[in-house]
Amino acid sequence: MVRSPNDYRTDVWVDWCPGCGNYGILAALYKAFAELQLDPTNTVIVSGIGCSGKTPHFVKVNGIHTLHGRAIVFATGIKLANPTLTVLVHGGDGDLLGIGLGHFIALGRKNLDIKVMLHDNRVYGLTKGQASPTLSKGLKTKSLAQPNILSSLNPIALALVSGYTFVARGYSMLSEHLKNLIVAAIKHKGSAFIDILQPCVTYNDIHTPEYYRKRVYFLEEEGWSPKVEEGNEIDKMFNAIRKSFEVERIPIGIFYQNTFKQTLEESYGQRIPSYLKTLPPWQKILKDDGSPIFDDTLFEKMFNEYIVKVEKS
Amino acid sequence: MWDNISLLLGGPQGSGLESSAQVLSKAFARLGYGIFADREYFSNIKGRHSYIHMNVSSRRHPISLSYPVQILCAMDAETVFTHFQDVEENGVIVYDVSTLSTRSSTIPSIEPKLRERLKAYFSELGLSDTIQSLIRYLRSVKKIRFVGLDYPKILSEISQKFTLNPGQASRYLSSIIVGSVVGLTGLKLDAVGYALASRFAGRQQLIEHNLFIIEYVSETVREGFRILYELEPSKIGLEKMLVASGNDIVAMAKIVGGLRFQSYYPITPAADESFTLETFERLEVEGESLGSLIVTQTEDEIAAIASAIGASLSGVRSATSTSGPGFSLMVEALGYAGQIEAPVVITYYQRGAPSTGQPTRGGQSDLLFTLYASHGEFPRVVLSSGDHLEAFYDTILALNLSEKYNVPVIHLLDKFLANSIATTPLPEIRKVVIDRGKTVFEKPDFKRFDLSRPISLRAFLGSNTIQWAAGDEHDEFGHIDEDPLNRREMYEKRMKKIEIMDSEIPSENRCMFFGQDGVKLVMVGWGSVKGAALDAIEAMKAYGVRCGYLHLKMFSPFPTEYVKSILSKFRPENLVAVEHNYLAQASKLVTQNTGILVEKSIVKYTGRPIYVNELVRALNRVLEGERRVVLEYGA
Ligand SMILES: Cc1ncc(C[n+]2csc(CCOP(=O)(O)OP(=O)(O)O)c2C)c(N)n1
Ligand code: SF4
Ligand SMILES: [Mg+2]
């Protein structure tokens, strides 16, 4: 059976505001999944809390809608326990870069094969428009009482220095381009990050579709080559970081991709050979009669160092 | 000949006391003796005072500790100053003669309060505060016997013999302690050799050096001092024994129970369990693999519990292990597990609290917290264990209950258990049952939260199903749903599991009563109180008082009927809570659930274990009418 984008739709009513950038992200996701013919039973979307957090309910693959800021760590357990799953994280900028920032950085260090989609609308959508970590200092979006007093952080640079091996930026209104990025991210082996520029039509009157239309340009059109070749990792990363600080013109596309780094699951697999041979969920832990695979003899053998044989006097 | 000996071994943290305790434990076990050893230490890596309090028995596996002890072996002067009052009349103190002129007032690591107490003690007796004058006094007035050894000289002999530099030689200081115990108890050197070989497997030189010093010191003690605490041959009659800390026995149980994922963020006194698990990650026996165990150190405890829940959704048995500060961070995710009905086990080793509290000391002050942690109402299991073997079986029970009922399980332990080494018979693996609950592997339109049954079928992510989950109130598929009637149904479906668990989980897993006919006074306690309480029952017979002990194990669901059936036979003034917290928290829960008042309490919150001697004294005071006794024995 060939799956079309429509086959990945659930019949849950999509309750984002009309015109919200999230619709473009969702459309790109359906198309990417169809292009890759992802098996819905083997695919998991894990989300945090926010407008963005609702994404899994609209997609007919496994969907785990978790806590504010914690999607990455739920996904980490899901993926480590079953490394054959395709695991995506969807979160907002408040979610991933505010309350969940520590996990965002830690995932880069792990290079675990999880794809992180940042719905970057520069506001806290679901709590009615407060400043998010990607809103620049001094800006006053619609529902702020005062201009933003904090500086913004740069998600691309942060992902790069954290160790993500696939770092890209997409724009929700350029759904086809975004789809291609998602496909590339899923095909990549390792922690992948896409900063998705997402207009929030209700609370962000600065970063509007107009704003982006004037600024966005394609990295690939300027001959950007994101791929690390043996030996030039640092150069590639530094160039990508420099590029990520362009603000007047906003580059989109793949900033950086490194396929040389071992993933966390590979590292575990190297240490524990049976890990990738029989996936943990399918490993036998009990016999048919409900007793554990351990018996008294196996127990004694495995925990020999704790067992003292009493000397006969 | 003795059937029971208590020892104290003290010295600075980081000087090898812990491995001395392991070596001695295994050596005694080798000869068939039962041991129980508590380790007390500061939150410090090197230099502060630490000690091992060990009970050795020829008749049984000891379950408690008591004072005074027969033998104190001091690595340094601070140990003598800290513990001389812990030694019984006629007891022995082994000390370093090179410290004779050391004054308590000049030892910087002695805490100010203890220094004041010592100062008062010495000035009241008109003594100078040197080791020498203390010894003179204790010898003549308290009839304590002293074994003075010249530690620096012994070490320099070692370094000459084996051409070691002084730094290397000083690492053998703890062997002087082991050697003196060997000399005083007549412990066989073969057994010590066995223990060393087991502790330092493969490090032949280390074993050889240690054995040499131990033999040398034990002969010096035996020949020079002629004091012998000879244990009668063991009557326990086991061919094999397990010698393990609480952390280690829990790790073993998790492996037997089929754990495949453990996440943790380092914290005392939980981290050692994860460390042990990680050493077994390949689950290999004689080159053959039984599976794989992923042990992952996360960036914080939120990540630890969240990834454990994630792993559980993928279909593996998963757990995280922590202590109070870590659990405080886990609380939001605990409620999430309750709401999405995900199995997960949290092994919770209580320590001195609140806040950083006493990181390396014990306590039981988190019971109410574990019961009520996280916003909202949801079913959970809170299960506690009273000793090493209980902890073994309860660990597996915790894994079973979490999967059978799709609930988070908090397995509540404490530092006393975590860090104490005990001998036990080997756990009976043939009695262990694994129950993974009801699962489904293939189902179109799978309803993870199927309302037709209170305990819905669980599917693993990656099996032939699609499922959703949300911390938001949800419909049967797991999609957000705020309809009031759906809300009611889902809410009740979840809460109904409390009743189901209550009716299905056998009472012997939840509560135990110890006591014969004619019991006058009933102690009500939980967790590590068990050993001291049971031994106090015995000791109280000497006063002609029959005591009983109600050992509470499961606090959610609370064994209301069983507890009622036991306690209603007694008058409230004959019920006495024994707990390591201020409020006597478990007794409050007894009252809340059964309406029965536990009028008396004996509590301790110094961070040190409850000792049988002080418990017995407190019980007598309670019998005389005191309502509340606060215990404080122990350095
Ligand atoms: C622990 C916690 N704190 C606060 C909230 C309230 N909250 C819900 S959504 C949200 C912010 C959402 O902003 P963002 O992550 O940028 O997502 P968006 O709605 O913009 O997609 C907050 C703070 C929460 N759910 N949990
Ligand atoms: S508030 Fe903003 S982000 Fe949320 S749905 Fe509306 S437009 Fe989209
Ligand atoms: Mg946002």
Side-chain angles (χ1 to χ4, degrees):
Chain A
M1 181 195 111
V2 179
R3 293 186 181 86
S4 72
N6 250 329
D7 292 328
Y8 290 96
R9 237 176 248 275
T10 60
D11 44 23
V12 176
W13 183 62
V14 182
D15 62 355
W16 288 317
C17 306
C20 174
N22 282 331
Y23 287 98
I25 300 176
L26 190 59
L29 204 57
Y30 293 143
K31 283 188 278 181
F33 284 10
E35 182 168 326
L36 293 164
Q37 288 294 297
L38 288 187
D39 174 357
T41 66
N42 224 44
T43 305
V44 191
I45 295 179
V46 187
S47 69
I49 298 292
C51 298
S52 45
K54 296 183 178 178
T55 308
H57 299 288
F58 310 138
V59 189
K60 208 177 203 166
V61 301
N62 293 296
I64 311 296
H65 186 176
T66 68
L67 299 173
H68 192 37
R70 313 302 167 197
I72 284 178
V73 277
F74 283 96
T76 299
I78 289 170
K79 179 74 183 178
L80 276 176
N82 184 347
T84 62
L85 296 173
T86 299
V87 181
L88 285 83
V89 163
H90 281 260
D93 33 28
D95 188 284
L96 290 168
L97 302 179
I99 192 167
L101 184 63
H103 308 311
F104 179 80
I105 293 169
L107 179 61
R109 292 183 55 212
K110 291 171 188 167
N111 197 31
L112 180 65
D113 189 13
I114 288 176
K115 314 349 174 147
V116 178
M117 310 287 155
L118 174 68
H119 296 226
D120 185 356
N121 56 10
R122 312 197 190 207
V123 289
Y124 281 46
L126 199 58
T127 45
K128 296 186 179 290
Q130 298 85 350
S132 94
T134 52
L135 187 67
S136 306
K137 182 167 181 183
L139 293 187
K140 183 174 176 305
T141 46
K142 212 153 128 187
S143 60
L144 296 187
Q146 300 293 341
N148 184 18
I149 203 164
L150 301 178
S151 303
S152 59
L153 54 75
N154 176 336
I156 297 280
L158 186 62
L160 286 165
V161 296
S162 301
Y164 285 80
T165 47
F166 178 102
V167 179
R169 182 187 283 139
Y171 175 38
S172 63
M173 299 306 177
L174 296 171
S175 178
E176 188 64 18
H177 179 263
L178 178 58
K179 182 261 310 178
N180 289 336
L181 292 179
I182 297 173
V183 167
I186 292 176
K187 283 184 175 165
H188 174 77
K189 244 174 43 176
S191 299
F193 171 63
I194 307 181
D195 175 22
I196 306 173
L197 307 172
Q198 177 236 322
C200 166
V201 292
T202 305
Y203 293 115
N204 191 332
D205 51 348
I206 298 175
H207 305 93
T208 59
E210 267 87 66
Y211 176 95
Y212 287 122
R213 191 177 317 120
K214 285 188 208 138
R215 292 171 173 80
V216 158
Y217 74 97
F218 299 98
L219 278 171
E220 48 272 34
E221 281 180 3
E222 305 215 333
W224 184 261
S225 73
K227 278 215 158 187
V228 170
E229 314 288 339
E230 205 106 41
N232 68 358
E233 179 181 341
I234 299 294
D235 286 346
K236 284 281 174 189
M237 182 176 295
F238 272 62
N239 289 343
I241 290 173
R242 179 179 300 278
K243 198 82 188 158
S244 75
F245 279 92
E246 286 184 10
V247 284
E248 279 318 306
R249 290 180 74 229
I250 304 174
I252 62 171
I254 303 174
F255 278 71
Y256 176 86
Q257 186 173 13
N258 184 350
T259 53
F260 294 98
K261 266 172 63 179
Q262 199 175 37
T263 63
L264 184 62
E265 52 277 43
E266 286 167 348
S267 308
Y268 273 116
Q270 207 166 51
R271 242 167 57 182
I272 317 171
S274 57
Y275 170 52
L276 298 173
K277 272 188 213 134
T278 310
L279 292 174
W282 312 117
Q283 290 173 11
K284 212 171 139 83
I285 67 166
L286 73 164
K287 298 179 195 142
D288 293 340
D289 63 357
S291 62
I293 53 169
F294 279 84
D295 54 19
D296 292 314
T297 319
L298 267 184
F299 178 86
E300 285 182 40
K301 284 182 179 162
M302 178 158 283
F303 300 113
N304 186 37
E305 64 192 90
Y306 297 97
I307 294 169
V308 169
K309 289 200 176 61
V310 176
E311 195 181 67
K312 293 201 184 72
S313 48
Chain B
M1 288 218 263
W2 297 68
D3 59 17
N4 196 300
I5 297 176
S6 289
L7 308 156
L8 269 188
L9 319 174
Q13 177 81 332
S15 56
L17 260 188
E18 203 184 343
S19 68
S20 303
Q22 286 168 351
V23 168
L24 282 172
S25 301
K26 282 193 170 170
F28 280 117
R30 174 69 167 169
L31 299 171
Y33 298 114
I35 66 108
F36 184 76
D38 168 53
R39 185 160 73 92
E40 291 297 326
Y41 54 105
F42 280 80
S43 179
N44 158 265
I45 302 304
K46 274 196 188 339
R48 281 199 181 272
H49 176 63
S50 68
Y51 65 96
I52 310 282
H53 185 180
M54 184 186 281
N55 204 347
V56 189
S57 166
S58 59
R59 307 262 168 117
R60 60 173 192 154
H61 298 288
I63 52 176
S64 70
L65 298 165
S66 194
Y67 281 107
V69 298
Q70 281 80 49
I71 299 171
L72 166 64
C73 296
M75 279 169 99
D76 57 3
E78 178 169 357
T79 301
V80 178
F81 285 125
T82 309
H83 294 285
F84 66 88
Q85 285 164 309
D86 295 335
V87 182
E88 70 177 19
E89 212 172 272
N90 257 315
V92 178
I93 297 179
V94 180
Y95 73 102
D96 178 2
V97 295
S98 76
T99 63
L100 276 173
S101 58
T102 306
R103 296 177 169 279
S104 69
S105 52
T106 60
I107 298 175
S109 50
I110 294 186
E111 286 188 312
K113 288 275 160 57
L114 174 58
R115 198 172 304 154
E116 273 170 35
R117 289 198 295 272
L118 287 168
K119 192 173 164 196
Y121 181 88
F122 289 128
S123 71
E124 198 183 312
L125 294 171
L127 300 174
S128 86
D129 68 342
T130 60
I131 291 282
Q132 186 159 33
S133 80
L134 180 62
I135 289 180
R136 209 172 289 138
Y137 169 76
L138 295 173
R139 190 177 271 144
S140 63
V141 180
K142 301 274 177 185
K143 308 289 175 232
I144 288 180
R145 296 176 286 174
F146 283 86
V147 171
L149 303 172
D150 192 334
Y151 297 4
K153 191 161 150 256
I154 297 172
L155 292 179
S156 90
E157 279 167 31
I158 297 305
S159 48
Q160 269 165 28
K161 178 165 166 62
F162 296 111
T163 53
L164 305 171
N165 64 43
Q168 288 170 312
S170 72
R171 296 214 319 259
Y172 293 100
L173 189 59
S174 61
S175 295
I176 298 181
I177 299 302
V178 176
S180 47
V181 173
V182 173
L184 288 169
T185 58
L187 189 57
K188 279 199 250 165
L189 272 175
D190 282 358
V192 178
Y194 170 91
L196 283 170
S198 154
R199 173 70 181 81
F200 302 111
R203 292 149 79 187
Q204 208 44 48
Q205 232 185 23
L206 202 63
I207 298 174
E208 197 186 312
H209 296 179
N210 273 301
L211 203 56
F212 177 82
I213 307 178
I214 292 169
E215 185 169 4
Y216 174 85
V217 172
S218 74
E219 274 170 19
T220 312
V221 169
R222 209 167 300 164
E223 285 159 20
F225 298 89
R226 306 200 173 275
I227 303 170
L228 193 58
Y229 285 87
E230 196 181 359
L231 280 159
E232 64 177 16
S234 170
K235 295 181 176 164
I236 296 176
L238 283 176
E239 282 174 23
K240 289 171 191 164
M241 288 188 197
L242 197 67
V243 184
S245 70
N247 285 139
D248 287 341
I249 205 162
V250 169
M252 291 181 231
K254 283 185 172 177
I255 290 172
V256 172
L259 194 81
R260 289 293 176 271
F261 185 90
Q262 164 114 343
S263 48
Y264 76 105
Y265 185 80
I267 190 165
T268 307
D272 287 353
E273 181 208 306
S274 298
F275 181 88
T276 300
L277 283 172
E278 194 168 352
T279 60
F280 287 98
E281 65 179 3
R282 293 160 75 109
L283 300 179
E284 256 171 9
V285 180
E286 295 173 346
E288 207 182 305
S289 171
L290 303 175
S292 61
L293 171 56
I294 297 295
V295 179
T296 183
Q297 179 185 331
T298 54
E299 57 272 23
D300 57 32
E301 284 89 348
I302 299 174
I305 186 170
S307 57
I309 295 169
S312 144
L313 293 173
S314 285
V316 301
R317 290 202 143 183
S318 70
T320 180
S321 187
T322 192
S323 183
F327 186 71
S328 291
L329 291 185
M330 293 182 178
V331 161
E332 188 191 13
L334 175 75
Y336 179 75
Q339 175 78 335
I340 69 158
E341 306 192 41
V344 69
V345 171
I346 300 140
T347 312
Y348 185 154
Y349 296 91
Q350 297 165 93
R351 65 186 213 185
S355 189
T356 308
Q358 290 185 315
T360 59
R361 310 290 179 178
Q364 297 185 311
S365 54
D366 302 350
L367 174 58
L368 295 176
F369 177 43
T370 56
L371 276 173
Y372 300 115
S374 211
H375 51 291
E377 301 167 299
F378 58 92
R380 73 185 83 195
V381 170
V382 176
L383 169 66
S384 72
S385 310
D387 57 39
H388 287 58
L389 271 187
E390 257 189 49
F392 183 89
Y393 296 114
D394 289 344
T395 298
I396 298 169
L397 179 65
L399 289 165
N400 286 346
L401 294 177
S402 74
E403 290 198 323
K404 184 166 178 195
Y405 298 107
N406 296 330
V407 290
V409 176
I410 298 156
H411 186 194
L412 198 52
L413 303 167
D414 57 37
K415 177 264 164 187
F416 304 124
L417 179 104
N419 290 155
S420 57
I421 301 179
T423 53
T424 62
L426 301 198
E428 295 174 279
I429 308 300
R430 72 200 90 93
K431 285 194 183 160
V432 169
V433 174
I434 307 257
D435 185 348
R436 300 214 61 187
K438 297 214 163 58
T439 47
V440 58
F441 294 98
E442 174 126 30
K443 199 156 179 82
D445 295 324
F446 173 56
K447 291 178 174 169
R448 172 67 185 89
F449 305 97
D450 180 7
L451 280 167
S452 67
R453 47 169 94 208
I455 297 158
S456 315
L457 301 178
R458 196 158 56 88
F460 302 173
L461 292 170
S463 63
N464 254 327
T465 55
I466 303 176
Q467 60 179 307
W468 289 270
D472 292 80
E473 190 56 274
H474 39 261
D475 63 16
E476 292 179 288
F477 291 100
H479 291 310
I480 300 172
D481 192 314
E482 300 198 10
D483 178 76
L485 299 187
N486 174 73
R487 167 69 167 168
R488 180 176 170 188
E489 275 189 287
M490 276 295 165
Y491 208 127
E492 290 173 358
K493 165 194 188 295
R494 285 189 297 270
M495 297 305 279
K496 183 116 201 328
K497 293 198 284 188
I498 299 178
E499 257 168 66
I500 297 172
M501 293 192 291
D502 188 37
S503 68
E504 291 182 356
I505 305 171
S507 64
E508 64 262 29
N509 289 145
R510 300 160 69 187
C511 192
M512 298 171 184
F513 182 67
F514 300 88
Q516 317 136 306
D517 291 346
V519 162
K520 174 155 189 225
L521 192 65
V522 177
M523 293 176 270
V524 178
W526 60 289
S528 298
V529 166
K530 183 185 177 190
L534 295 185
D535 281 350
I537 293 178
E538 284 308 304
M540 286 302 285
K541 288 181 185 163
Y543 299 89
V545 181
R546 284 201 182 167
C547 293
Y549 173 55
L550 184 74
H551 182 53
L552 297 163
K553 288 177 61 68
M554 197 172 280
F555 294 95
S556 172
F558 193 86
T560 305
E561 291 313 314
Y562 182 82
V563 171
K564 234 191 235 172
S565 74
I566 301 289
L567 294 187
S568 58
K569 294 183 212 139
F570 301 93
R571 299 228 302 267
E573 65 266 30
N574 289 330
L575 300 179
V576 49
V578 183
E579 299 188 47
H580 278 282
N581 58 62
Y582 188 93
L583 295 173
Q585 296 184 6
S587 76
K588 299 277 184 291
L589 293 168
V590 168
T591 308
Q592 179 184 317
N593 284 284
T594 65
I596 296 171
L597 216 57
V598 180
E599 277 191 4
K600 307 285 175 63
S601 62
I602 297 172
V603 290
K604 187 168 188 178
Y605 32 84
T606 60
R608 278 61 169 179
I610 292 177
Y611 304 106
V612 178
N613 57 309
E614 60 176 348
L615 180 54
V616 167
R617 205 170 311 131
L619 287 168
N620 280 317
R621 282 167 61 180
V622 165
L623 284 166
E624 285 158 17
E626 272 186 66
R627 296 180 66 84
R628 176 179 169 90
V629 182
V630 180
L631 307 179
E632 58 178 24
Y633 199 88

